[in-house]
Amino acid sequence: MSAYHVANASGLIKLDAMENPYTWPDDVRASWLETLKTCELNRYPDPEAKLLTQTIRQRNNIPPAFDVLLGNGSDELIQILLMALPPTARVMSTQPSFVMYQQISQSLGLSFINIPLLPGSFELDLPTMLGAIADHQPAIIFLAYPNNPTGNLFSAEAINKIIAAANGLVVIDEAYAPFADASYMGELARHENLLVMRTVSKLGLAGLRLGYLVGAPAILEQLNKIRLPYNINILTQVTARFALTHHALFDEQTQLICAERTRVYEHLCNMPGITAYPSAANFILFKTPKDKATDIFAAIRQRGVLIKNLSPQGGLLIDCLRVTIGKPEENRAFIAALKSCLD
Ligand SMILES: *Cc1c(COP(=O)(O)O)cnc(C)c1O
């Protein structure tokens, strides 16, 4: 194995990690600091984070029949889900997808089955997936919706068939929900093996480390046995509640990011030699001319912009780079840097 590598971004325009580029206005920041004054740091936090859970329920219209499990980032929820499995269990996802599904499975010694997406569309290969589900009986299937790093929403028809065919759990990872017009939250009542996972990271609170998993109480009750008692610290509990009650601010920022996504996508589509893939998230995957990705990535960084080089991951990602949507001026700097590399 190798550790999850995070590139050093000091001095660079940071468009590599799907962060929201915007900070808070001074008045909002000041009232947030006021609420922090109430935190009793000498006491353990509420182990169930009841107030925060209430706010999350309201903001996401979570039906009362379902429970919510909070994690120290959705990364921790992935870890909790996988730790709940017996050592003989198999885990399935798509290739490419979010790397932590495989990384954590491997660290726990679980078998992991990767099913390649279809080239060009990055759509689910439904016949192959259904065959592999029948053969391997995975205990958990992870589907990122929209998918990272490809940015697309898989066909709902294919996902529904996978949920119906699976004897195990299907986790729909909606990390990019703020930027997409689709969700499985409303489908929970229709499938007893469905779980929906979200995070506040991509919305604009990556520094807090807070994710949540929604599903049937009987499933979450079991997962809760593995959760460490105080996994959501008091500063996160108080700050996330504050932020989610000031959601108009995030709604505005999300709209700006989505408008910029359209602009950057159009620029990429007009660049000779570049193939850009449509995205329902806050990043865009694009393909560079053959064997040029690593050089182009380095040349863009040389010009002060850090994006992500996915080409080393191989498979469908050969020659591919991924850019996170930033502020308009940051995106302009990225476009100009890429253009100058292609000239
Ligand atoms: C970023 C990301 C996560 C991790 O989110 P955290 O809450 O920051 O741990 C999970 N799933 C997908 C698909 C992601 O892209």
Side-chain angles (χ1 to χ4, degrees), residues 18 72-76 78 98 101 144 146 148 173 175-176 197-202 206 209-211:
M18 281 80 105
N72 185 357
S74 41
D75 285 346
E76 190 192 33
I78 298 166
F98 185 50
Y101 310 143
N148 172 10
D173 181 349
Y176 300 95
M197 186 167 67
R198 288 193 177 175
T199 173
V200 300
S201 294
K202 314 296 157 65
R209 310 306 300 131
L210 177 69

Side-chain angles (χ1 to χ4, degrees), residues 26-56:
D26 286 345
D27 59 327
V28 176
R29 188 173 275 267
S31 65
W32 164 56
L33 290 172
E34 277 308 308
T35 67
L36 283 188
K37 285 183 182 167
T38 64
C39 290
E40 293 187 353
L41 295 181
N42 55 318
R43 302 290 178 195
Y44 282 105
D46 174 0
E48 280 137 34
K50 287 183 284 295
L51 292 175
L52 173 58
T53 304
Q54 235 174 48
T55 309
I56 288 175

